[in-house]
Amino acid sequence: MAEIINGRELAKQVNQNTSLRIAKLAQRGVQPGIADILVGNDPASRIYSRTKRRKAEQMGIKFMIAQFPESATEQELMRTIEQFNKDETINAILVQAPLPDHLDQVHLINAIDPQKDVDGFHPINVGKLYNKQPGNYPVACTPRGIMKMLEHYDVDLPGKNVVIVGRSILVGRPLQSLMINANATVTIAGRHTKNLSALTRTADILIVAAGQAKMIGANDVKPGAVVIDVGINRTAEGKLIGDVDFDAVKKVASLITPVPGGVGPMTVASMLAQSVDLTEWKINGEE
Ligand code: NAD
């Protein structure tokens, strides 16, 4: 029976560490600041934004939500991003997805100052990660949280077969780079992958980020594998479940994340920690 990764507890530890760093910055008269750009009325995005704000403010981070109506134009948003880029009290800028169809997420991300790109989506930061450049730069928060989890649970990566299901810019692609940089042997699967089950069964570490409820069952997992479930799916009854059939897979895996209470809390904790990284790098001239 697998050991269950406690993402909530680990996120608490990460947040405690972040709070200590915020207190040290306060002694130097500095408060980290996050600007969250929210467009339209997507209920999940509004809840997510509020959760981030509550946590950030509890920890002493300034958190601004720039709320725009569904009809906002790219020009208006660009102007706001430009203002936040110049604003010395803002160290981290987020553009909350999903955006209405008439807005181009790529244009908006590319307009963010790479040194304030707390989501790690700007092509300059993605390129630095891809090339394993030395120095400090932000990386996507969900993959960052996953790497922290694996480190905390002493999961050895060099030479291990890692299979990632899902190749989005949010999860799969940056995670692939982080895993390669950690000397793992990485395969990344998508919708066109043939015989996925045979592939996932080769994984010492299987990470699933496809957004398909319970797509991975016990027969898709090698006995003793580490299984990280990124998926968040809502059942007809309103329950949150992952991409992995948790009850079945926990019987064959050695270590597994639950949904909820696994990757999710670590994503928020990683974003908050990264906003403090950006602040420290700025004032220490370490960008
Ligand atoms: P996305 O839709 O952008 O990407 C999904 C990827 O999965 C695509 O590359 C697609 O090719 C692949 N895919 C879909 N169905 C597949 C299948 N049957 N077989 C193989 N590959 C398949 O999604 P995303 O933004 O990367 O999110 C993925 C999931 O992770 C969603 O459920 C999302 O809610 C969740 N998520 C959770 C967190 C968190 O913090 N827990 C963070 C980000 C995303």
Side-chain angles (χ1 to χ4, degrees), residues 76-175:
E76 284 175 287
L77 296 172
M78 287 291 198
R79 265 203 302 274
T80 299
I81 291 173
E82 212 31 64
Q83 277 163 11
F84 287 140
N85 281 345
K86 288 192 192 126
D87 186 337
E88 294 281 330
T89 70
I90 295 295
N91 308 93
I93 304 170
L94 295 159
V95 178
Q96 182 67 54
L99 290 169
D101 289 344
H102 68 280
L103 295 172
D104 186 334
Q105 197 193 10
V106 172
H107 283 176
L108 299 174
I109 288 171
N110 290 1
I112 294 174
D113 177 347
Q115 290 166 351
K116 296 190 179 189
D117 167 36
V118 70
D119 268 333
F121 294 159
H122 192 285
I124 287 192
N125 293 319
V126 173
K128 286 181 174 178
L129 173 66
Y130 189 83
N131 285 348
K132 201 184 180 188
Q133 283 196 9
N136 295 315
Y137 44 87
V139 302
C141 298
T142 301
R144 173 178 166 142
I146 292 170
M147 297 306 278
K148 181 79 192 165
M149 270 180 173
L150 296 175
E151 181 197 314
H152 183 82
Y153 282 83
D154 287 328
V155 177
D156 203 33
L157 295 174
K160 291 289 160 60
N161 284 337
V162 173
V163 175
I164 303 169
V165 183
R167 45 186 205 174
S168 71
I169 63 157
L170 208 66
V171 191
R173 284 167 199 266
L175 189 58

Side-chain angles (χ1 to χ4, degrees), residues 48 141-143 164-173 188-193 196 208-213 215 229-233 241-243 259 262-268:
Y48 188 43
C141 298
T142 301
I164 303 169
V165 183
R167 45 186 205 174
S168 71
I169 63 157
L170 208 66
V171 191
R173 284 167 199 266
I188 185 157
R191 276 195 189 88
H192 300 277
T193 301
L196 184 67
V208 195
Q212 305 287 327
M215 70 176 281
D229 188 356
V230 185
I232 303 176
N233 310 282
I241 59 167
D243 289 355
V259 176
V263 174
M266 284 301 288
T267 296
V268 179

Side-chain angles (χ1 to χ4, degrees), residues 184-202:
T185 301
V186 189
T187 311
I188 185 157
R191 276 195 189 88
H192 300 277
T193 301
K194 302 228 166 33
N195 204 355
L196 184 67
S197 182
L199 178 66
T200 57
R201 278 201 305 272
T202 66

